[in-house]
Amino acid sequence: PALSGHSASGDFDLRFNGTVVITVPILASSITIVASSVVLEDGAQLNASGVTRLAQGAGYSHSSYGGTGATHGGVGGRVFGNTNSRGAYGAIDMPMMGGGRGGDGAASGGAGGGTIFLNASGALILNVLNGSHACVAADGADGAASTTRGGGGGSGGSIYIEAGSVSGSGRILARGGKGGDTISDAPWFSGGGGGGGRVAVVCASCVPLSGAPVGSDGGAQWLGLLVSARGGASGLRALGATWPAA
């Protein structure tokens, strides 16, 4: 079938003995698709970004500093003496856990990424047209900005793919969220960046994802796709500015 849009705070689960063609955004906290083949047309999304608040990887909140970033596959960003000591968690070869919520400063930390499982016994195809990429994403959300203490970024979630073949020019993303900005005059008042999530692909006919070259932005170029589970940047300071910035 060809899927129309779906937005939900809960789960999206589709199992079909044939080809599933996705043409529009599918938004949910957990997405499961099992089919013979899965095709994401240009601009289509499977999006589980910024939807979880797991305590396991949560960043630390603080009344004097910005919030630290949440942890998942990577450790969240520290803020001065406010250290995020939670260790990385989740399976490397079969990731199935959501990301944690960033710690609060004066502003709220970002929510973590959710979970996406795709099983295509045939082909998984992510298309692109006129710069509009098909995208599978479980990113952490950015921490909120504050005039005093920004929130920490949420950590990326999990994307697990089993497919006979993978092709296209789309994006597979489980990135940490950026820390919240501030206009305070010390670096420890901005939020810490969220740790990256986890991405695993099982594909017997594909070259290994682990050997793909990594670019300056932390993403890997693999089979024409951009794959990234990088951590988020720390928040910025805009000294002498008013908030929100224009």
Side-chain angles (χ1 to χ4, degrees):
L3 299 185
S4 58
H6 173 85
S7 179
S9 59
D11 300 341
F12 179 88
D13 193 318
L14 173 67
R15 298 162 194 269
F16 181 70
N17 187 23
T19 297
V20 172
V21 179
I22 301 167
T23 60
V24 291
I26 304 294
L27 310 175
S29 57
S30 176
I31 299 173
T32 298
I33 298 178
V34 179
S36 299
S37 293
V38 178
V39 180
L40 274 72
E41 296 292 3
D42 50 284
Q45 298 177 22
L46 298 178
N47 194 339
S49 297
V51 293
T52 66
R53 297 180 178 273
L54 293 184
Q56 180 167 359
Y60 287 99
S61 300
H62 205 283
S63 59
S64 299
Y65 312 121
T68 65
T71 286
H72 183 188
V75 176
R78 299 169 54 179
V79 178
F80 195 51
N82 189 13
T83 304
N84 189 334
S85 59
R86 304 186 201 277
Y89 63 92
I92 295 174
D93 55 349
M94 190 181 291
M96 292 288 188
M97 299 190 71
R101 180 182 183 275
D104 295 336
S108 298
T115 60
I116 299 176
F117 172 55
L118 302 179
N119 181 300
S121 56
L124 170 64
I125 303 172
L126 281 72
N127 287 322
V128 60
L129 178 66
N130 297 325
S132 180
H133 294 267
C135 185
V136 178
D139 289 336
D142 295 345
S146 168
T147 56
T148 54
R149 293 174 285 110
S155 54
S158 291
I159 298 175
Y160 179 47
I161 295 171
E162 297 176 338
S165 64
V166 179
S167 63
S169 299
R171 295 171 176 171
I172 301 173
L173 309 172
R175 303 168 297 185
K178 177 181 172 295
D181 296 337
T182 183
I183 61 173
S184 295
D185 59 357
W188 50 82
F189 290 124
S190 56
R198 296 189 183 276
V199 176
V201 182
V202 177
C203 174
S205 66
C206 302
V207 296
L209 174 57
S210 59
V214 177
S216 59
D217 63 351
Q221 297 294 330
W222 180 67
L223 302 175
L225 305 169
L226 172 66
V227 182
S228 179
R230 62 160 173 78
S234 61
L236 302 176
R237 291 179 296 149
L239 301 183
T242 57
W243 202 268

